[in-house]
């Protein structure tokens, strides 16, 4: 027999949020504002050589003016921005999150071709559980239907982002697992941004090495605590910084400085320049750009001087990748794990009123030598893969590998 587990709720049905309408003139105004903002601010046109913004806008405008339902309008607008194929550009509506964003209670990503639970607060789901179907539909099929609403620079990030956007899921649904169980999920609780459940870093001793788990750079206290820990352990034989699943925030330049023992630099960057005459004559395509290199920075005299190891994965995004770039390109640290998300930049946002807003990435970033980064990511120096079995058994192959590297290391910190 299949085990059926009811989670989060004892009632068989859920009340749907009331329908909310947006007047036609307001929809037209919002759509026009977004189009103008994207056209003048978006910094990643070179990633869309065959994309026609005007055609996409016409299609979006036709559908947006045809429905007054706020949820449908929100989803249409998300789909329009998602066509920019950029992980730092998106549309948001507080009303949608408040009304339809109740938490799922677990997180899952594709691993080795299967959808695998990586963390869960629900007793019936554990890390390593493999999901097959949602309400009888294969998870891949469900993902394909939600994919148009997910802003991402590549398919890897879009798949990781699915379970972070809870408003795309039914308020209640049944999961079928690979082991034969069926689990009923009823979403409950206020919407939660990915990573916001973490309130502190983890600091511990690893046989004489300092281990720091930094879940996010959105809370300044995380960087402050990490810098304090580094300063307190300057005699540690190595420092391990774990930024797996870190979705960024503000670039942790003080932490970089505390760990860097050699000259270093951040990204090269570009941003569009509006030249009406060039656009009119078509001399330089859709956008001219300003391109600049980051200045080389010198290390601080009291920085940590011994080996540094960074644990990374596909959930390292935005400011987390800003953190990695100086270490990767200067060979100051050994990066262990999996390729990062491949999305950073400077989102610029505008308010559209009543809790709505849109942000687009106004600059494009490259590795300091000009190498493509967006949609590519930062590759590890020592590739190590985490499987569903590793999660199920509580095994951490990345940390095991770093322990091995530390045990076998000499005085160099250069990647093998």
């Amino acid at each position: 027999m299949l085990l059926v587990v009811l989670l989060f709720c004892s009632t068989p049905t859920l009340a749907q949020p009331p329908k909310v309408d947006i007047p036609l003139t307001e929809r037209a105004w919002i759509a026009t504002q977004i189009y103008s903002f994207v056209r003048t601010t978006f910094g990643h046109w070179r990633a869309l050589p065959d994309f026609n913004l005007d055609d996409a806008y016409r299609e979006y405008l036709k559908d947006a003016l045809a429905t007054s339902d706020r949820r449908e309008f929100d989803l249409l607008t998300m789909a329009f921005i998602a066509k920019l194929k950029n992980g730092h550009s998106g549309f948001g509506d507080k009303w949608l999150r408040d009304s339809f964003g109740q938490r799922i209670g677990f997180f899952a990503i594709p691993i080795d071709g299967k959808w695998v639970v990586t963390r869960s607060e629900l007793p019936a789901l554990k890390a390593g559980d493999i999901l097959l179907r949602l309400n009888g539909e294969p998870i891949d099929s469900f993902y394909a239907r939600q994919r148009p609403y997910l802003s991402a620079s590549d398919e890897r990030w879009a798949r990781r982002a699915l379970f972070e956007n809870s408003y795309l899921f039914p308020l209640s649904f049944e999961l079928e697992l690979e082991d034969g169980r069926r689990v009923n999920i009823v979403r409950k609780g206020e919407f939660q941004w990915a990573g916001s459940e973490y309130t502190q870093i983890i600091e511990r001793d690893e046989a004489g090495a300092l281990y720091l788990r930094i879940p996010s750079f959105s809370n300044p206290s995380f960087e402050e605590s990490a810098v304090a820990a580094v300063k307190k352990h300057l005699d540690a034989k190595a420092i391990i910084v774990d930024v797996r699943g870190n979705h960024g925030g503000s670039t942790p330049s003080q932490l970089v400085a505390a760990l860097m023992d050699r000259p270093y630099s951040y990204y090269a960057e570009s941003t569009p320049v509006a030249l009406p005459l060039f656009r009119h004559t078509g001399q330089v395509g859709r956008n001219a750009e300003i391109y600049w290199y980051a200045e080389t920075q010198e290390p601080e005299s009291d920085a940590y001087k011994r080996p540094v190891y960074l644990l990374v994965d596909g959930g390292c995004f935005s400011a987390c990748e800003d953190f990695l770039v100086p270490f990767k390109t200067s060979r100051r640290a050994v990066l262990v794990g999996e390729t990062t998300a491949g999305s950073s930049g400077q989102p610029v946002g505008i308010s559209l009123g009543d809790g709505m807003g849109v942000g687009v990435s106004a600059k494009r970033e490259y590795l300091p030598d000009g190498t493509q980064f967006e949609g590519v990511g930062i590759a590890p120096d020592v590739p190590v893969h985490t499987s569903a079995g590793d999660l199920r058994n509580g095994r951490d192959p990345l940390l095991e590998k770093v322990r091995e590297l530390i045990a076998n290391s000499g005085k160099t910190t250069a990647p093998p």
Side-chain angles (χ1 to χ4, degrees):
M1 295 180 64
L2 296 176
L3 175 65
V4 179
V5 183
L6 181 64
L7 301 173
F8 269 36
C9 187
S10 59
T11 57
T13 60
L14 291 175
Q16 293 291 322
K19 181 179 177 180
V20 173
D21 289 337
I22 304 179
L24 175 63
T25 54
E26 188 67 16
R27 280 176 275 142
W29 172 246
I30 291 171
T32 304
Q33 287 281 92
I34 291 174
Y35 168 73
S36 175
F37 187 62
V38 168
R39 194 171 189 271
T40 57
T41 310
F42 186 59
H44 297 261
W45 294 115
R46 66 173 59 196
L48 302 168
D50 302 318
F51 178 68
N52 188 303
L53 177 65
D54 289 349
D55 288 347
Y57 175 65
R58 285 176 180 273
E59 180 182 353
Y60 159 62
L61 185 63
K62 173 176 65 69
D63 294 336
L65 298 184
T67 179
S68 62
D69 182 77
R70 184 162 181 164
R71 184 172 188 272
E72 291 183 19
F73 176 78
D74 283 352
L75 293 176
L76 288 169
T77 307
M78 288 179 181
F80 173 60
I81 297 298
K83 289 181 179 179
L84 299 176
K85 296 182 179 180
N86 178 255
H88 275 66
S89 302
F91 168 83
D93 184 355
K94 185 178 183 300
W95 171 86
L96 181 69
R97 296 191 296 270
D98 290 346
S99 302
F100 294 92
Q102 297 88 343
R103 295 199 294 273
I104 298 175
F106 69 94
F107 182 62
I109 61 173
I111 298 177
D112 300 327
K114 298 181 179 181
W115 289 88
V116 180
V117 175
T118 57
R119 63 178 183 270
S120 172
E121 60 189 52
L122 310 179
L125 287 177
K126 306 293 183 184
D129 283 345
I130 296 173
L131 310 179
L132 294 183
R133 296 177 181 84
L134 188 153
N135 286 343
E137 180 180 15
I139 301 293
D140 270 336
S141 174
F142 175 79
Y143 164 76
R145 289 196 295 111
Q146 312 311 318
R147 176 62 181 91
Y149 312 117
L150 298 170
S151 291
S153 298
D154 67 2
E155 197 63 19
R156 290 183 306 130
W157 183 255
R159 287 178 174 270
R160 290 191 70 100
L162 174 62
F163 281 85
E164 296 180 359
N165 292 277
S166 55
Y167 43 77
L168 297 178
F169 286 76
L171 287 175
S172 63
F173 55 89
E174 181 189 72
L175 288 175
E176 182 181 340
L177 277 60
E178 189 178 63
D179 61 12
R181 289 182 296 141
R182 294 180 185 272
V183 178
N184 288 329
I185 304 294
V186 178
R187 298 197 284 112
K188 185 178 181 181
E190 294 182 355
F191 177 83
Q192 190 174 54
W193 295 105
S196 61
E197 69 271 27
Y198 299 109
T199 58
Q200 62 184 7
I201 69 171
I202 297 173
E203 175 185 343
R204 69 169 183 259
D205 178 78
E206 278 283 341
L210 171 64
Y211 171 88
L212 292 174
R213 170 77 174 96
I214 308 177
S216 170
F217 290 120
S218 60
N219 186 334
S221 68
F222 290 161
E223 182 184 12
E224 293 167 3
S225 297
V227 170
V230 170
K231 297 297 186 183
K232 185 172 64 177
H233 294 88
L234 293 176
D235 59 346
K237 67 181 181 182
I239 291 181
I240 307 164
V241 183
D242 187 346
V243 289
R244 287 174 287 183
N246 183 319
H247 283 11
S250 298
T251 303
S253 56
Q254 296 304 310
L255 180 57
V256 172
L259 293 168
M260 191 63 66
D261 68 349
R262 62 197 66 185
Y264 62 97
S265 61
Y266 290 93
Y267 292 109
E269 299 167 310
S270 66
T271 192
V273 179
L275 298 174
L277 176 63
F278 283 179
R279 281 186 177 174
H280 175 70
T281 60
Q283 293 181 50
V284 290
R286 288 175 293 181
N287 286 84
E289 291 184 335
I290 295 176
Y291 184 93
W292 67 96
Y293 293 93
E295 295 182 358
T296 299
Q297 301 188 43
E298 295 298 322
E300 297 181 357
S301 59
D302 60 346
Y304 179 75
K305 302 295 193 297
R306 297 184 180 183
V308 176
Y309 299 87
L310 307 179
L311 306 187
V312 301
D313 69 354
C316 177
F317 175 85
S318 190
C320 179
E321 295 175 290
D322 296 351
F323 171 67
L324 299 183
V325 165
F327 294 98
K328 174 70 173 181
T329 57
S330 70
R331 298 175 66 84
R332 165 64 178 118
V334 180
L335 276 63
V336 179
E338 301 177 354
T339 300
T340 63
S343 182
S344 197
Q346 183 61 57
V348 177
I350 57 171
S351 171
L352 300 168
D354 197 22
M356 294 184 185
V358 65
V360 299
S361 179
K363 70 176 181 180
R364 188 168 176 84
E365 299 187 342
Y366 313 82
L367 297 184
D369 63 358
T371 299
Q372 177 77 10
F373 161 76
E374 193 73 32
V376 176
I378 301 170
D381 302 307
V382 181
V384 180
H385 178 62
T386 300
S387 68
D390 293 328
L391 292 169
R392 192 178 306 116
N393 297 320
R395 179 172 172 262
D396 189 341
L398 277 68
L399 191 53
E400 290 177 5
K401 184 60 169 181
V402 168
R403 289 170 181 153
E404 176 189 327
L405 292 173
I406 292 174
N408 296 330
S409 67
K411 295 183 179 180
T412 180
T413 61

